[in-house]
Amino acid sequence: LLHTNHVAEKTNAHGIILRSSDTDVTALAVYLQRSIDCPLYVQRRAKNGRIKIVDVKAVSLKQGNAMCNALPGLHAYSGCDTTSGFNGKGKSKFFKLAKDNKDVQKAFTQLGNAIPASQKLIKECEKAVCKLYKHQGADVNQVQYDMLAKGAESHDIPPTSDALALHTKRANYQAHIWKNALKADFKPCPADGHGWKKVDGVLDIHWMTRAPAPDSVLELVACKSCKKCDTRRCPCQNKGFKCTDACGCDSNSCENSEDTGRYIAGEDD
């Protein structure tokens, strides 16, 4: 896009065609079209093998300034070459959410405006993810809990709040680079500390800073019908874990839950 802008400034071209099947290029072209004084077109190969020409200026005008401003953050957050995506939550769902919800749109617009990402922005993006999973709260850990309690598979739930914060930092860093794409002398700060970390001198993704779930969940321990769960016959009791909502025991009579405050791991049957 930097070279494209240079061509637009130095020639009298009536249009510039970018040949790329990379979605990143198309998204960035739509965002930057308003800053490049020449109509842009992206030539890409469709899934059926046919050549497709995208009229970037027409797309930019149709979506309007607000959505175009949100595009770099939205594209980075929903998954690109440098950031991971959300299973079952494609870009179209992110796009519709941002278009229908001004708070979500504002959060994605702010991504990339400054390095590092502020705690306020990280929290606003967490609220957006809660809405993505059709939850009215602001805590993705609660969304995880509610979905798992209803029988959802682990690959269908959102990441933990800890992991999501690091994802937000990566998306913010990538969006920051894209938003400065037309600066020939732009030098971004090192990526480590912004959702990545150095491991033996090599940059690696920093997925999380703490365990994704309690030990009882990670160990996949769940009792079924242990009545009071007050002896080692209860698998949870035997492993030294509290019973959870994943267990099949009666929550009213269970004496090994967090609610009862009783824990008798030393008692043998």
Side-chain angles (χ1 to χ4, degrees), residues 198-262:
K198 285 285 187 69
V199 179
D200 296 328
V202 178
L203 194 65
D204 196 9
I205 295 174
H206 194 180
W207 290 111
M208 59 189 74
T209 63
R210 52 181 179 266
D215 290 342
S216 56
V217 175
L218 296 177
E219 291 284 346
L220 299 177
V221 175
C223 62
K224 294 184 179 180
S225 55
C226 304
K227 296 184 179 179
K228 293 185 178 182
C229 302
D230 57 351
T231 70
R232 283 182 180 256
R233 289 178 180 175
C234 169
C236 299
Q237 183 77 262
N238 189 44
K239 285 284 187 179
F241 298 136
K242 293 288 187 181
C243 291
T244 68
D245 284 357
C247 295
C249 56
D250 187 347
S251 59
N252 293 319
S253 60
C254 176
E255 297 186 6
N256 187 45
S257 68
E258 292 289 351
D259 294 334
T260 62
R262 292 191 61 183

